[in-house]
Amino acid sequence: MKPLTCMIIAGEASGDLLAAELVAALRQVAGDQESVYGPDQQPLRATLEPRFFGAGGSRMAAAGVELAFDMTAHSVVGVSGVIRNLLKFRRLLQQLLHMALDRQPDLIVCVDFSGFNRRFAAAVRQAARARAGLFKNWQPKIVQFVSPQVWASRESRVYQIARDYDLLLCIFPFEKEWYAKRVPGLRVEFVGHPMVERFANVAGSLDTKSDGPPRVVLLPGSRAGELRHHVPIVAAVARRIAGQMPATFCMVVPSEDLMRQFASAASGVPNLTVQAGNVEKALRGADLAITKSGTITMECAFLGVPALVFYQTSALNYWIGKRIVTVKYLAMPNLLADELVFPEFIQHAATPENISRAAIDLLQNRDQREHVQKRLREIVATLGTAGAARRGAQAIMNLL
């Protein structure tokens, strides 16, 4: 008799939070399961406390996961960032592979971080096959939580996903059907979006606005590489807005350390506050967000904040991206709506002139902002009900 052992890997701040929520749900769901018995009626696994280990960040550590190292400290931006750090990522992968082979968990859960986790899952499968034989029958179940965006680029990778994963947990409703058409043998479950539960208690206050000047939230990114490109852009946009109309600004960066590094790049913006973390607090009651593309656009959607979405990267990353990305939009709310709910300004279009012009037009058009908020409510309504982590945990226990 032994407890369920789970290796879990997350490589970015958003994945770290999602993994921590899943760990809590797995503990609860596993505690509700009846004991598992073998053919001889001897208990193989009883309802003991599951054990978690792997790599992630501070939220996973707080949830009781034994971390080999802080994986979130190694996140990078773009293909060029991966190439520059290729040897480091290979070393981290080998370290985690050796840990998996040594401890032989029942379950491996890969949370987002698709480039690294896809390679790790393939390495585990290959190693397990090589060790197969008498008394060496370790065949862990491997789960991916959050679908890699193969529907947006490099669709052929779907076949590797089907080969190496036992279960794929999706958070967007269109993904299950998309996979069923291409790899019908892959087990895919739509569990809903985790933000539905996180923001369930703020829905009643989303439309609360002050009577003062409009509040604009500046969201330049979560990594140092992004901030180097984006802070000067959002600062210039804010200065242009302030030159045309009264407004207050709040710029959010993910940590105190990054705030110290980049706050000076936003000097000269009137009525500006800079804060570390707590995006939700900054967005609540805001009139407009000027945000880089990514997960943050979904937070704007859930909090009912109209947004202008931009992204600027190196020439190499942009050149590569243009050749592999096949979707019409970058912002997920736009993809879900199949229309430009959030205007997008990418690479050469991401100029202070273009963004500030659109921002001023939107700030001066209350009817348009209300129309955007209505569309956001419709988009959010398609993303399931609260309880994504618990549904994901239940799907995992059903797999086991």
Short mmCIF file of all heavy atoms in Angstrom, two decimals, residues 76-130:
data_model
loop_
_atom_site.label_atom_id
_atom_site.label_comp_id
_atom_site.label_asym_id
_atom_site.label_seq_id
_atom_site.Cartn_x
_atom_site.Cartn_y
_atom_site.Cartn_z
N VAL A 76 11.71 32.37 -20.41
CA VAL A 76 12.34 33.24 -21.41
C VAL A 76 11.28 33.69 -22.41
O VAL A 76 10.17 33.16 -22.45
CB VAL A 76 13.50 32.53 -22.14
CG1 VAL A 76 14.61 32.19 -21.18
CG2 VAL A 76 13.00 31.28 -22.85
N VAL A 77 11.66 34.65 -23.26
CA VAL A 77 10.74 35.20 -24.25
C VAL A 77 11.21 34.82 -25.65
O VAL A 77 12.36 35.05 -26.00
CB VAL A 77 10.68 36.74 -24.14
CG1 VAL A 77 9.72 37.31 -25.17
CG2 VAL A 77 10.27 37.16 -22.74
N GLY A 78 10.31 34.24 -26.46
CA GLY A 78 10.58 34.04 -27.87
C GLY A 78 11.55 32.90 -28.18
O GLY A 78 12.21 32.34 -27.31
N VAL A 79 11.62 32.59 -29.46
CA VAL A 79 12.49 31.52 -29.93
C VAL A 79 13.96 31.85 -29.66
O VAL A 79 14.74 30.98 -29.26
CB VAL A 79 12.27 31.27 -31.43
CG1 VAL A 79 13.23 30.22 -31.96
CG2 VAL A 79 10.82 30.84 -31.68
N SER A 80 14.34 33.10 -29.85
CA SER A 80 15.74 33.47 -29.63
C SER A 80 16.12 33.28 -28.18
O SER A 80 17.25 32.88 -27.87
CB SER A 80 15.98 34.91 -30.07
OG SER A 80 15.19 35.82 -29.32
N GLY A 81 15.19 33.54 -27.25
CA GLY A 81 15.48 33.33 -25.84
C GLY A 81 15.69 31.86 -25.53
O GLY A 81 16.56 31.49 -24.73
N VAL A 82 14.90 30.99 -26.16
CA VAL A 82 15.08 29.55 -25.98
C VAL A 82 16.44 29.11 -26.51
O VAL A 82 17.16 28.34 -25.87
CB VAL A 82 13.94 28.78 -26.68
CG1 VAL A 82 14.21 27.28 -26.64
CG2 VAL A 82 12.60 29.09 -26.02
N ILE A 83 16.80 29.60 -27.70
CA ILE A 83 18.06 29.20 -28.31
C ILE A 83 19.24 29.61 -27.44
O ILE A 83 20.18 28.83 -27.22
CB ILE A 83 18.19 29.81 -29.72
CG1 ILE A 83 17.14 29.18 -30.65
CG2 ILE A 83 19.59 29.61 -30.29
CD1 ILE A 83 17.04 29.84 -32.00
N ARG A 84 19.19 30.84 -26.91
CA ARG A 84 20.29 31.31 -26.06
C ARG A 84 20.44 30.49 -24.78
O ARG A 84 21.53 30.39 -24.22
CB ARG A 84 20.08 32.78 -25.69
CG ARG A 84 20.35 33.76 -26.82
CD ARG A 84 20.47 35.18 -26.30
NE ARG A 84 19.26 35.62 -25.61
CZ ARG A 84 18.23 36.21 -26.20
NH1 ARG A 84 18.27 36.42 -27.52
NH2 ARG A 84 17.18 36.59 -25.51
N ASN A 85 19.34 29.91 -24.32
CA ASN A 85 19.36 29.16 -23.07
C ASN A 85 19.20 27.66 -23.27
O ASN A 85 18.83 26.94 -22.34
CB ASN A 85 18.25 29.67 -22.15
CG ASN A 85 18.50 31.09 -21.66
OD1 ASN A 85 19.17 31.30 -20.66
ND2 ASN A 85 17.95 32.06 -22.38
N LEU A 86 19.49 27.19 -24.48
CA LEU A 86 19.23 25.80 -24.82
C LEU A 86 19.98 24.84 -23.90
O LEU A 86 19.41 23.85 -23.41
CB LEU A 86 19.60 25.56 -26.28
CG LEU A 86 19.17 24.22 -26.87
CD1 LEU A 86 17.67 24.05 -26.78
CD2 LEU A 86 19.62 24.11 -28.32
N LEU A 87 21.26 25.09 -23.67
CA LEU A 87 22.04 24.18 -22.83
C LEU A 87 21.51 24.15 -21.40
O LEU A 87 21.46 23.09 -20.77
CB LEU A 87 23.52 24.59 -22.85
CG LEU A 87 24.24 24.41 -24.18
CD1 LEU A 87 25.69 24.88 -24.08
CD2 LEU A 87 24.20 22.96 -24.64
N LYS A 88 21.09 25.30 -20.90
CA LYS A 88 20.53 25.35 -19.55
C LYS A 88 19.25 24.52 -19.47
O LYS A 88 19.06 23.74 -18.53
CB LYS A 88 20.24 26.79 -19.15
CG LYS A 88 19.60 26.93 -17.77
CD LYS A 88 19.36 28.39 -17.41
CE LYS A 88 18.23 28.98 -18.23
NZ LYS A 88 17.90 30.37 -17.79
N PHE A 89 18.36 24.67 -20.47
CA PHE A 89 17.12 23.92 -20.44
C PHE A 89 17.37 22.42 -20.59
O PHE A 89 16.67 21.60 -19.98
CB PHE A 89 16.17 24.41 -21.53
CG PHE A 89 15.47 25.69 -21.17
CD1 PHE A 89 15.61 26.82 -21.96
CD2 PHE A 89 14.68 25.77 -20.04
CE1 PHE A 89 14.96 28.00 -21.63
CE2 PHE A 89 14.03 26.94 -19.70
CZ PHE A 89 14.18 28.06 -20.50
N ARG A 90 18.36 22.05 -21.37
CA ARG A 90 18.71 20.63 -21.48
C ARG A 90 19.19 20.08 -20.14
O ARG A 90 18.85 18.96 -19.75
CB ARG A 90 19.79 20.43 -22.54
CG ARG A 90 19.28 20.51 -23.97
CD ARG A 90 20.41 20.30 -24.96
NE ARG A 90 19.92 20.28 -26.34
CZ ARG A 90 20.70 20.24 -27.40
NH1 ARG A 90 22.03 20.22 -27.25
NH2 ARG A 90 20.18 20.22 -28.62
N ARG A 91 19.97 20.88 -19.44
CA ARG A 91 20.46 20.45 -18.12
C ARG A 91 19.32 20.29 -17.13
O ARG A 91 19.25 19.31 -16.37
CB ARG A 91 21.48 21.47 -17.60
CG ARG A 91 22.14 21.06 -16.29
CD ARG A 91 23.18 22.07 -15.85
NE ARG A 91 22.56 23.34 -15.41
CZ ARG A 91 22.60 24.47 -16.10
NH1 ARG A 91 23.23 24.52 -17.27
NH2 ARG A 91 22.02 25.56 -15.64
N LEU A 92 18.38 21.24 -17.14
CA LEU A 92 17.23 21.16 -16.23
C LEU A 92 16.36 19.95 -16.58
O LEU A 92 15.86 19.25 -15.69
CB LEU A 92 16.40 22.44 -16.32
CG LEU A 92 17.09 23.73 -15.85
CD1 LEU A 92 16.18 24.93 -16.10
CD2 LEU A 92 17.48 23.64 -14.38
N LEU A 93 16.17 19.70 -17.88
CA LEU A 93 15.37 18.55 -18.30
C LEU A 93 16.00 17.25 -17.82
O LEU A 93 15.31 16.36 -17.31
CB LEU A 93 15.20 18.56 -19.82
CG LEU A 93 14.18 17.57 -20.39
CD1 LEU A 93 13.57 18.11 -21.67
CD2 LEU A 93 14.82 16.21 -20.68
N GLN A 94 17.32 17.13 -17.99
CA GLN A 94 18.00 15.91 -17.56
C GLN A 94 17.90 15.73 -16.05
O GLN A 94 17.73 14.61 -15.55
CB GLN A 94 19.46 15.93 -18.00
CG GLN A 94 19.65 15.73 -19.49
CD GLN A 94 19.09 14.41 -19.98
OE1 GLN A 94 19.32 13.36 -19.37
NE2 GLN A 94 18.36 14.45 -21.08
N GLN A 95 17.99 16.82 -15.31
CA GLN A 95 17.88 16.74 -13.86
C GLN A 95 16.50 16.22 -13.45
O GLN A 95 16.38 15.36 -12.57
CB GLN A 95 18.13 18.12 -13.23
CG GLN A 95 18.11 18.11 -11.70
CD GLN A 95 18.44 19.50 -11.13
OE1 GLN A 95 18.97 20.36 -11.82
NE2 GLN A 95 18.12 19.69 -9.86
N LEU A 96 15.46 16.74 -14.11
CA LEU A 96 14.12 16.29 -13.78
C LEU A 96 13.87 14.87 -14.26
O LEU A 96 13.16 14.09 -13.60
CB LEU A 96 13.09 17.24 -14.41
CG LEU A 96 13.03 18.64 -13.78
CD1 LEU A 96 12.10 19.53 -14.59
CD2 LEU A 96 12.56 18.56 -12.34
N LEU A 97 14.44 14.49 -15.39
CA LEU A 97 14.29 13.13 -15.88
C LEU A 97 14.93 12.13 -14.91
O LEU A 97 14.34 11.09 -14.60
CB LEU A 97 14.92 13.00 -17.27
CG LEU A 97 14.85 11.61 -17.92
CD1 LEU A 97 13.40 11.17 -18.09
CD2 LEU A 97 15.57 11.61 -19.27
N HIS A 98 16.12 12.45 -14.42
CA HIS A 98 16.77 11.56 -13.45
C HIS A 98 15.93 11.45 -12.18
O HIS A 98 15.83 10.37 -11.58
CB HIS A 98 18.17 12.08 -13.11
CG HIS A 98 19.13 11.95 -14.25
ND1 HIS A 98 20.23 12.77 -14.43
CD2 HIS A 98 19.15 11.10 -15.31
CE1 HIS A 98 20.87 12.43 -15.53
NE2 HIS A 98 20.24 11.42 -16.08
N MET A 99 15.32 12.55 -11.77
CA MET A 99 14.46 12.52 -10.59
C MET A 99 13.25 11.62 -10.84
O MET A 99 12.86 10.83 -9.97
CB MET A 99 14.00 13.93 -10.24
CG MET A 99 13.02 14.00 -9.07
SD MET A 99 12.44 15.68 -8.74
CE MET A 99 13.92 16.37 -8.01
N ALA A 100 12.66 11.73 -12.02
CA ALA A 100 11.50 10.89 -12.34
C ALA A 100 11.88 9.41 -12.36
O ALA A 100 11.17 8.56 -11.81
CB ALA A 100 10.92 11.30 -13.69
N LEU A 101 13.02 9.09 -12.96
CA LEU A 101 13.46 7.70 -13.03
C LEU A 101 13.79 7.15 -11.66
O LEU A 101 13.56 5.97 -11.37
CB LEU A 101 14.67 7.58 -13.96
CG LEU A 101 14.41 7.88 -15.44
CD1 LEU A 101 15.70 7.90 -16.22
CD2 LEU A 101 13.44 6.86 -16.02
N ASP A 102 14.32 7.99 -10.80
CA ASP A 102 14.70 7.55 -9.46
C ASP A 102 13.48 7.32 -8.58
O ASP A 102 13.40 6.33 -7.85
CB ASP A 102 15.63 8.59 -8.83
CG ASP A 102 16.07 8.19 -7.43
OD1 ASP A 102 16.65 7.09 -7.28
OD2 ASP A 102 15.83 8.97 -6.48
N ARG A 103 12.49 8.22 -8.67
CA ARG A 103 11.36 8.16 -7.75
C ARG A 103 10.13 7.49 -8.34
O ARG A 103 9.21 7.11 -7.62
CB ARG A 103 11.03 9.57 -7.27
CG ARG A 103 12.21 10.20 -6.54
CD ARG A 103 11.96 11.59 -6.04
NE ARG A 103 10.96 11.65 -4.99
CZ ARG A 103 10.78 12.69 -4.19
NH1 ARG A 103 11.56 13.76 -4.31
NH2 ARG A 103 9.84 12.68 -3.29
N GLN A 104 10.08 7.33 -9.66
CA GLN A 104 9.03 6.61 -10.37
C GLN A 104 7.62 6.98 -9.87
O GLN A 104 6.91 6.14 -9.30
CB GLN A 104 9.27 5.10 -10.25
CG GLN A 104 10.56 4.66 -10.91
CD GLN A 104 10.67 3.16 -11.08
OE1 GLN A 104 9.75 2.41 -10.75
NE2 GLN A 104 11.80 2.70 -11.58
N PRO A 105 7.19 8.20 -10.10
CA PRO A 105 5.85 8.59 -9.66
C PRO A 105 4.76 7.87 -10.45
O PRO A 105 4.97 7.42 -11.58
CB PRO A 105 5.83 10.10 -9.95
CG PRO A 105 6.78 10.25 -11.11
CD PRO A 105 7.89 9.28 -10.83
N ASP A 106 3.59 7.77 -9.84
CA ASP A 106 2.44 7.20 -10.54
C ASP A 106 1.95 8.13 -11.65
O ASP A 106 1.41 7.68 -12.65
CB ASP A 106 1.27 6.99 -9.55
CG ASP A 106 1.67 6.15 -8.36
OD1 ASP A 106 2.01 4.98 -8.56
OD2 ASP A 106 1.64 6.68 -7.23
N LEU A 107 2.15 9.41 -11.43
CA LEU A 107 1.54 10.42 -12.28
C LEU A 107 2.53 11.56 -12.51
O LEU A 107 3.21 11.98 -11.59
CB LEU A 107 0.28 10.97 -11.57
CG LEU A 107 -0.42 12.19 -12.15
CD1 LEU A 107 -1.09 11.84 -13.47
CD2 LEU A 107 -1.45 12.73 -11.16
N ILE A 108 2.58 12.04 -13.75
CA ILE A 108 3.36 13.23 -14.08
C ILE A 108 2.40 14.24 -14.70
O ILE A 108 1.72 13.92 -15.69
CB ILE A 108 4.51 12.91 -15.04
CG1 ILE A 108 5.52 11.98 -14.37
CG2 ILE A 108 5.20 14.20 -15.50
CD1 ILE A 108 6.62 11.49 -15.30
N VAL A 109 2.32 15.42 -14.11
CA VAL A 109 1.44 16.47 -14.62
C VAL A 109 2.30 17.63 -15.12
O VAL A 109 3.06 18.22 -14.34
CB VAL A 109 0.45 16.98 -13.55
CG1 VAL A 109 -0.44 18.07 -14.14
CG2 VAL A 109 -0.40 15.83 -13.02
N CYS A 110 2.18 17.94 -16.39
CA CYS A 110 2.88 19.05 -17.00
C CYS A 110 1.90 20.21 -17.15
O CYS A 110 0.86 20.06 -17.78
CB CYS A 110 3.41 18.65 -18.38
SG CYS A 110 4.55 17.24 -18.35
N VAL A 111 2.21 21.32 -16.53
CA VAL A 111 1.29 22.46 -16.51
C VAL A 111 1.81 23.55 -17.43
O VAL A 111 2.87 24.14 -17.18
CB VAL A 111 1.11 23.00 -15.08
CG1 VAL A 111 0.11 24.15 -15.07
CG2 VAL A 111 0.64 21.89 -14.14
N ASP A 112 1.06 23.79 -18.51
CA ASP A 112 1.42 24.82 -19.49
C ASP A 112 2.88 24.63 -19.92
O ASP A 112 3.30 23.52 -20.15
CB ASP A 112 1.17 26.21 -18.89
CG ASP A 112 0.75 27.23 -19.95
OD1 ASP A 112 0.85 26.93 -21.16
OD2 ASP A 112 0.32 28.33 -19.57
N PHE A 113 3.68 25.72 -20.12
CA PHE A 113 5.12 25.64 -20.39
C PHE A 113 5.39 24.58 -21.46
O PHE A 113 6.23 23.69 -21.30
CB PHE A 113 5.84 25.29 -19.08
CG PHE A 113 7.28 25.73 -19.02
CD1 PHE A 113 7.65 27.02 -19.41
CD2 PHE A 113 8.25 24.88 -18.56
CE1 PHE A 113 8.97 27.42 -19.33
CE2 PHE A 113 9.58 25.29 -18.47
CZ PHE A 113 9.93 26.57 -18.86
N SER A 114 4.67 24.69 -22.58
CA SER A 114 4.54 23.57 -23.50
C SER A 114 5.83 23.15 -24.17
O SER A 114 6.05 21.96 -24.40
CB SER A 114 3.49 23.91 -24.56
OG SER A 114 3.88 25.04 -25.32
N GLY A 115 6.71 24.11 -24.53
CA GLY A 115 7.93 23.73 -25.21
C GLY A 115 8.79 22.79 -24.38
O GLY A 115 9.23 21.73 -24.84
N PHE A 116 9.02 23.15 -23.13
CA PHE A 116 9.83 22.32 -22.23
C PHE A 116 9.08 21.05 -21.88
O PHE A 116 9.64 19.94 -21.95
CB PHE A 116 10.16 23.10 -20.97
CG PHE A 116 11.03 22.36 -19.99
CD1 PHE A 116 12.40 22.50 -20.02
CD2 PHE A 116 10.46 21.51 -19.04
CE1 PHE A 116 13.20 21.80 -19.12
CE2 PHE A 116 11.26 20.82 -18.13
CZ PHE A 116 12.63 20.97 -18.18
N ASN A 117 7.80 21.16 -21.49
CA ASN A 117 7.07 19.99 -21.01
C ASN A 117 6.85 18.96 -22.11
O ASN A 117 6.83 17.75 -21.84
CB ASN A 117 5.74 20.43 -20.41
CG ASN A 117 5.89 20.89 -18.97
OD1 ASN A 117 6.77 20.43 -18.25
ND2 ASN A 117 5.04 21.81 -18.54
N ARG A 118 6.68 19.40 -23.34
CA ARG A 118 6.52 18.45 -24.45
C ARG A 118 7.77 17.59 -24.59
O ARG A 118 7.69 16.37 -24.78
CB ARG A 118 6.23 19.22 -25.74
CG ARG A 118 6.04 18.36 -26.97
CD ARG A 118 5.53 19.21 -28.13
NE ARG A 118 6.28 20.44 -28.28
CZ ARG A 118 7.45 20.54 -28.89
NH1 ARG A 118 8.00 19.45 -29.41
NH2 ARG A 118 8.07 21.70 -28.99
N ARG A 119 8.94 18.22 -24.49
CA ARG A 119 10.19 17.46 -24.58
C ARG A 119 10.39 16.56 -23.37
O ARG A 119 10.90 15.44 -23.48
CB ARG A 119 11.36 18.44 -24.72
CG ARG A 119 11.39 19.14 -26.07
CD ARG A 119 12.42 20.24 -26.11
NE ARG A 119 12.52 20.85 -27.45
CZ ARG A 119 11.70 21.79 -27.90
NH1 ARG A 119 10.72 22.25 -27.11
NH2 ARG A 119 11.83 22.27 -29.12
N PHE A 120 9.96 17.05 -22.21
CA PHE A 120 10.11 16.23 -21.01
C PHE A 120 9.21 14.99 -21.08
O PHE A 120 9.65 13.88 -20.76
CB PHE A 120 9.76 17.06 -19.77
CG PHE A 120 9.85 16.28 -18.49
CD1 PHE A 120 11.08 15.87 -18.00
CD2 PHE A 120 8.71 15.93 -17.78
CE1 PHE A 120 11.18 15.14 -16.82
CE2 PHE A 120 8.79 15.21 -16.61
CZ PHE A 120 10.03 14.82 -16.12
N ALA A 121 7.97 15.16 -21.52
CA ALA A 121 7.07 14.01 -21.64
C ALA A 121 7.63 12.97 -22.61
O ALA A 121 7.57 11.76 -22.35
CB ALA A 121 5.69 14.49 -22.10
N ALA A 122 8.19 13.45 -23.73
CA ALA A 122 8.77 12.52 -24.70
C ALA A 122 9.96 11.78 -24.10
O ALA A 122 10.14 10.57 -24.32
CB ALA A 122 9.19 13.28 -25.95
N ALA A 123 10.78 12.48 -23.32
CA ALA A 123 11.95 11.85 -22.70
C ALA A 123 11.53 10.80 -21.68
O ALA A 123 12.15 9.73 -21.57
CB ALA A 123 12.82 12.91 -22.05
N VAL A 124 10.49 11.08 -20.91
CA VAL A 124 9.99 10.11 -19.93
C VAL A 124 9.47 8.87 -20.65
O VAL A 124 9.77 7.73 -20.25
CB VAL A 124 8.90 10.74 -19.06
CG1 VAL A 124 8.18 9.66 -18.23
CG2 VAL A 124 9.49 11.79 -18.13
N ARG A 125 8.69 9.05 -21.70
CA ARG A 125 8.16 7.91 -22.45
C ARG A 125 9.30 7.04 -22.99
O ARG A 125 9.27 5.80 -22.90
CB ARG A 125 7.29 8.39 -23.60
CG ARG A 125 5.94 8.89 -23.20
CD ARG A 125 5.05 7.73 -22.79
NE ARG A 125 3.70 8.19 -22.56
CZ ARG A 125 2.98 7.87 -21.49
NH1 ARG A 125 3.49 7.08 -20.56
NH2 ARG A 125 1.75 8.31 -21.36
N GLN A 126 10.30 7.68 -23.58
CA GLN A 126 11.41 6.94 -24.15
C GLN A 126 12.18 6.19 -23.07
O GLN A 126 12.53 5.01 -23.24
CB GLN A 126 12.35 7.89 -24.89
CG GLN A 126 13.50 7.20 -25.59
CD GLN A 126 14.37 8.17 -26.37
OE1 GLN A 126 14.12 9.37 -26.38
NE2 GLN A 126 15.41 7.67 -27.01
N ALA A 127 12.42 6.85 -21.94
CA ALA A 127 13.15 6.20 -20.86
C ALA A 127 12.36 5.04 -20.26
O ALA A 127 12.93 3.99 -19.94
CB ALA A 127 13.48 7.22 -19.78
N ALA A 128 11.04 5.21 -20.11
CA ALA A 128 10.22 4.14 -19.55
C ALA A 128 10.21 2.93 -20.47
O ALA A 128 10.27 1.78 -20.00
CB ALA A 128 8.80 4.65 -19.31
N ARG A 129 10.14 3.16 -21.78
CA ARG A 129 10.17 2.04 -22.72
C ARG A 129 11.51 1.30 -22.67
O ARG A 129 11.57 0.08 -22.75
CB ARG A 129 9.90 2.53 -24.14
CG ARG A 129 8.44 2.87 -24.42
CD ARG A 129 8.19 3.03 -25.92
NE ARG A 129 8.93 4.17 -26.45
CZ ARG A 129 8.42 5.40 -26.55
NH1 ARG A 129 7.18 5.63 -26.13
NH2 ARG A 129 9.13 6.37 -27.06
N ALA A 130 12.58 2.06 -22.53
CA ALA A 130 13.91 1.46 -22.50
C ALA A 130 14.12 0.60 -21.25
O ALA A 130 14.88 -0.36 -21.28
CB ALA A 130 14.98 2.55 -22.56
#
